Amino acid sequence: MLPFLLLLAFVPQPFFDLGPPPPPFPAGAIDGFRLVQSLPIGIGQVFFVDKVVSVLLVVLGIAICTPIGAVVGLLGCAMYLLAGLLLGAKPDQLYTGLWGYNAAITATAIGGVFYTPNRLSISIGLICAFLASIASILLAPIFSLLKLPVLSVPFAIVTIGCFLILQRSLPSLVPVVLHTVASPEEHRQRFRVAKETIASFRQQLKAALEGQQRNILFEQATPAIKGDLRYIFDAIDRDRSGFLSTQELATHLHQAGKVLSEGELTYLFNCMDKDGSGAIDFEEFGELMLRHRRLMSRYTEFITYFLPIDVDADDSISMQEMNTALASLREPPLSKDEITFLQEQTGGQPLTWNRFIEVLLLT
């Protein structure tokens, strides 16, 4: 918007006179075939292309890079055609996709680039594409009087307005942090990783509240993986008792360069000792190792999804922020018992990112 306003203020208007418009299509009723043919042209107009073959190559290139982006962009163009038909736009405008590019980039921005693509974000993106189409059609005559192009002004107005509205009215639709913006497919993958991790955590939390000891990952592990875990366990179990003591755990952590205070060591040991026997058996050890391996293998995707959750940027996650994150993953909010349990796990301290990871691993 700012560059456009600067152009409007300082660049002579005749500079934008690009010559006579293309010859109009014959007057008459809307041609359904041409209307369907014009559907992808709105995307082509983003790259100043309106010939069918060139447009198809552009759409194919986008589809190869991001299939979701291509589909959402085409749906945005469909919203432009719908808006044009409802507002009685001229056939020339519809067939050439003259203003359809605003609808295409608006739908893609909301439905996959700045928000994780899902049914809700794509639906909102299509509504915004419809509004951007209406804005394009209504602003075109006004800007033509000033001999100025509309460019992407409708996209900027509608998209920024959508951001502001969603931030206040629908915080559970979590935006993508700007410096982590990637393809819609990458955003979708982050969502899946976060959902699987949190769903598993809720199962662990439920089992802990019910006093059950569940070593789900260990029970599902193959004999080869259990063999590797046994090798590591035996290396730490110096007295060959079949259990790990606090001293053995401390010695191993010291050798690995991890020096913990007595309180931190006691907390870690008690969390690993699920049955409260005073020693860590092989299954308890194996479960923690497998949880750690699973989380670290997808750590970047998980943390990247959760970055916008800390709305107040205080480096901790409040219960309200946690419930917002759960809502974005289509998970129910935390119950009173779950909140109480988490507060006990953290000793009443704020749930920082490091403590959050600890809770995920040790619950």
Side-chain angles (χ1 to χ4, degrees):
M1 286 291 290
L2 181 59
F4 180 80
L5 294 176
L6 293 175
L7 286 173
L8 178 62
F10 296 107
V11 179
Q13 294 180 12
F15 179 81
F16 296 106
D17 187 0
L18 302 180
F25 285 88
I30 296 294
D31 187 326
F33 176 75
R34 280 182 174 173
L35 201 63
V36 173
Q37 191 180 44
S38 68
L39 183 63
I41 294 181
I43 294 180
Q45 290 285 9
V46 176
F47 303 92
F48 306 104
V49 171
D50 61 356
K51 303 301 181 184
V52 175
V53 175
S54 300
V55 167
L56 292 178
L57 289 175
V58 167
V59 174
L60 177 61
I62 295 174
I64 292 173
C65 295
T66 166
I68 295 177
V71 171
V72 174
L74 290 172
L75 291 175
C77 292
M79 290 297 101
Y80 164 71
L81 295 178
L82 176 61
L85 292 173
L86 293 177
L87 293 180
K90 297 178 181 179
D92 307 56
Q93 295 176 322
L94 297 178
Y95 297 155
T96 60
L98 198 55
W99 313 121
Y101 63 87
N102 275 301
I105 58 179
T106 300
T108 306
I110 304 297
V113 174
F114 297 116
Y115 291 94
T116 297
N118 53 46
R119 282 177 292 183
L120 179 58
S121 64
I122 292 175
S123 299
I124 294 175
L126 295 182
I127 293 173
C128 290
F130 182 80
L131 296 176
S133 302
I134 293 177
S136 298
I137 295 170
L138 295 180
L139 289 176
I142 299 175
F143 277 67
S144 64
L145 294 176
L146 302 173
K147 295 184 179 180
L148 291 170
V150 174
L151 299 179
S152 58
V153 171
F155 157 73
I157 294 174
V158 173
T159 302
I160 293 174
C162 180
F163 287 160
L164 296 175
I165 293 172
L166 290 178
Q167 186 178 18
R168 289 167 173 76
S169 62
L170 197 60
S172 61
L173 189 61
V174 179
V176 177
V177 178
L178 289 181
H179 72 270
T180 65
V181 168
S183 68
E185 285 74 18
E186 175 64 23
H187 299 162
R188 185 68 181 170
Q189 175 62 18
R190 295 171 187 169
F191 171 83
R192 287 174 178 166
V193 168
K195 184 171 179 61
E196 290 173 6
T197 303
I198 293 299
S200 176
F201 168 65
R202 296 300 290 274
Q203 291 179 353
Q204 296 165 200
L205 195 56
K206 180 181 178 182
L209 288 171
E210 295 175 352
Q212 299 177 359
Q213 181 184 358
R214 298 186 64 184
N215 297 320
I216 301 175
L217 296 182
F218 183 84
E219 293 169 358
Q220 296 174 348
T222 64
I225 293 176
K226 289 182 179 179
D228 293 338
L229 292 172
R230 172 60 73 178
Y231 177 82
I232 299 173
F233 182 85
D234 290 343
I236 303 173
D237 182 20
R238 293 177 174 272
D239 60 5
R240 298 294 185 267
S241 64
F243 298 93
L244 300 183
S245 65
T246 306
Q247 184 58 43
E248 288 172 330
L249 182 61
T251 300
H252 172 71
L253 291 174
H254 180 74
Q255 291 175 346
K258 303 291 184 182
V259 180
L260 302 182
S261 66
E262 184 176 348
E264 291 173 331
L265 181 63
T266 301
Y267 170 75
L268 175 61
F269 187 87
N270 291 337
C271 288
M272 294 178 67
D273 180 20
K274 296 293 185 181
D275 58 5
S277 62
I280 301 171
D281 61 30
F282 175 54
E283 290 190 7
E284 292 168 337
F285 172 81
E287 179 69 15
L288 176 62
M289 294 293 290
L290 292 174
R291 287 185 188 180
H292 182 271
R293 187 181 71 168
R294 183 181 64 176
L295 180 60
M296 291 302 105
S297 68
R298 306 181 296 181
Y299 183 78
T300 300
E301 291 93 339
F302 178 74
I303 289 298
T304 302
Y305 181 85
F306 266 82
L307 282 176
I309 300 302
D310 185 16
V311 178
D312 53 11
D314 62 351
D315 293 327
S316 64
I317 307 172
S318 66
M319 290 302 111
Q320 181 179 355
E321 290 170 340
M322 178 62 76
N323 282 331
T324 298
L326 294 176
S328 75
L329 298 170
R330 305 192 197 102
E331 287 281 332
L334 293 171
S335 66
K336 291 182 179 180
D337 290 339
E338 289 174 326
I339 293 175
T340 301
F341 180 85
L342 291 176
Q343 290 173 339
E344 292 175 352
Q345 286 287 95
T346 59
Q349 298 295 318
L351 187 62
T352 62
W353 289 109
N354 287 338
R355 289 196 183 98
F356 181 43
I357 297 300
E358 289 176 1
V359 168
L360 288 176
L361 290 173
L362 300 174
T363 297

